[in-house]
Structures are given as C-alpha cells and as structure tokens.
Amino acid sequence: MGKAEFNRKLREKVKKLIRDYNLIDEGELVAVALSGGKDSLLTLHILDDLREGFGFDIVAISINEGIKGYREEGLEAARYNAKLLGVDLVEKSFIEEFNFSLDEIYGMFKSPCIPCGVFRRHLLNKTARQLGADKIATGHNMDDEIQSFMMSLVRGDTRKFSKFGPKLEVIHPRLIPRIKPLWNTTENETEKWAVLNNIRVHLGDCPYARLSLRSKIKNFLNDIESERPGTKKLIMQSFIKTFKIEQEEVELFECEVCGEPASMKTCKACELIALIRGSL
Ligand code: SF4
C-alpha cells in the first residue's frame, strides 16, 4: 500500500472512531498529551488534520518528568512538530511543579512508573483544565490497551477495566475526560506512519521501561504475535465481547491539600509528595 492510501485509511479509521464513540463535540478544545514519541505525534497530526472538518480546536501539553538522557530529545520532537503544525505547546515539568525530578525520587518506589504515572496524570489534568480544555487526547494505541488489559488481569485489579475503551467520561467536574483516538490503531501502523511520512519522532526507550511490568507483558505479547499472527487482535476482540466498555461509578472528592480530584481525602499525587518529603 502506498503512502497516500495508507494515510487515507488511517485517517478514515480515526475519523470513524471519533464518530462512533462521539469522542469530540463541535466547538471543543482538545489538549493533546505530547511526549514526542510516534503515538502522541500521530495523535497530534491526525487531530490537526481532522479539526476543521469536526469543528474542534487543539492545544498540546508536554510534561518533563526529569529523566536525564531521555526526555529532552522527546521534547525537541514535540516542539518541532507543534511548531510545524502551528499548534500551541505548553510545557510543564516535575521540577517546577513538585520541586523534584523523577531521577531524584524513583528509587523510593517499587517501579519508577508508579510516581511517573501519578504525577504526569495530575499535571496533565491540572494544566488542561487551566487551559480550558474539554478533552485530553492521549496517544494510547491498541497495543497499549491490550497491555493495560493484561496488566490488570495479572494484578487481579478488575477496577481498572472501567478505564478501558476509547473514552473516559466526566466523573468529576475538575477531571478532564480523556480520549484515545488511536484506540484501534496498532503500534505497527503508527510506526509505518512515522516512517512513510518522514516524521521527526523520538525513538528512544525510557531507561526505566525495562523495570516495568508493561515492558514484560509487551515482550510476551510480541513473542506470541510473531508465532501466531493475529493474537493481539483476538485478545482485543475477546476483551470487547467479555467486558462492557462502560464507566464504573466512582465517587470522587476534592483533595484536601491541592483541590484536585481524589478518590480519598487526599489525592494520590499529594499522598506520594508527603511520602517523598518525609524521606528526603
Ligand atoms: Fe515514566 Fe515508566 Fe513511561 Fe519511563 S516507562 S516514562 S518511568 S511511565
């Protein structure tokens, strides 16, 4: 398949997903979480391409977690592509917001991905709300979704099943709903898009990724897929058939410390900050 045909099919697939699941309404502002990797860049490029037709606008947010030798290159790719498309990019960092970088605190946790994910989601939601965004679009693709599904199975964490699907609805007025425009796009497709279109992407892997459960599950799924092609799609189909993609009713409050949405008296980010300050 040539470049033009590949791009057209990809565009149609994302367009259909946005329509089928009503991911974005006319007049909305969508904040794209932009790491500079291929998935977030495809999300940015494709939403930029579709915004006029659907009548929405976009802004990009990049978070610098403070991972030496890794994040800066991603940020350069994010800045380059945002400028190329004329999209405003807002940059935030752990060091400015929380007074520590991920490199300084990751050793206090079982996996660096725990504080990284908690603080990134916190900062992304807060920034998107300050910008007046109606949705946050992340670059999660089909492979990521299957990995998350398997991770929840391995951990026996069935509550996480409610977070699957291409759209997370409004469950708290201060929580910006999240959408995944690449939900049914495979990692192979995003790779092919970046190569065919000669996109400047950040290809490096996070130095902490190998410590994560996700990385182990990703390798496991890739091994099975190479022996039995089609396995990933079958897992995804089984998941969709077995579990209804519906949001679980979760009661959320406002964090007593920072005012952000929280499932308990204090939010996860403030809980971890207290832990880190007590140990520093
Ligand atoms: Fe953060 Fe883990 Fe992703 Fe690295 S692999 S960026 S530590 S969530």
Side-chain angles (χ1 to χ4, degrees), residues 220-232:
F220 167 72
L221 286 167
N222 284 345
D223 285 348
I224 301 183
E225 180 74 25
S226 64
E227 272 180 38
R228 302 176 67 115
T231 301
K232 288 183 191 172

Side-chain angles (χ1 to χ4, degrees), residues 65 67 70-71 102 112-113 116-117 120 206-209 212:
E65 306 92 344
I67 305 173
Y70 169 70
R71 178 51 69 218
L102 187 67
C113 302
C116 186
R120 187 162 9 89
C206 170
Y208 301 128
S212 67

Side-chain angles (χ1 to χ4, degrees), residues 96-162:
E96 277 172 25
E97 183 76 16
F98 308 116
N99 234 358
F100 49 74
S101 67
L102 187 67
D103 285 342
E104 289 169 321
I105 55 106
Y106 79 90
M108 297 173 196
F109 299 88
K110 198 168 146 197
S111 158
C113 302
I114 297 170
C116 186
V118 168
F119 293 129
R120 187 162 9 89
R121 279 191 297 274
H122 176 94
L123 198 45
L124 198 55
N125 185 66
K126 187 174 159 185
T127 310
R129 203 183 54 247
Q130 285 167 348
L131 292 170
D134 301 286
K135 302 274 162 62
I136 294 174
T138 61
H140 287 93
N141 61 36
M142 195 177 92
D143 288 61
D144 296 323
E145 191 76 348
I146 297 168
Q147 288 155 22
S148 300
F149 172 55
M150 299 293 284
M151 282 165 72
S152 297
L153 274 183
V154 168
R155 288 175 171 146
D157 188 358
T158 52
R159 286 170 315 155
K160 286 265 170 65
F161 288 153
S162 65

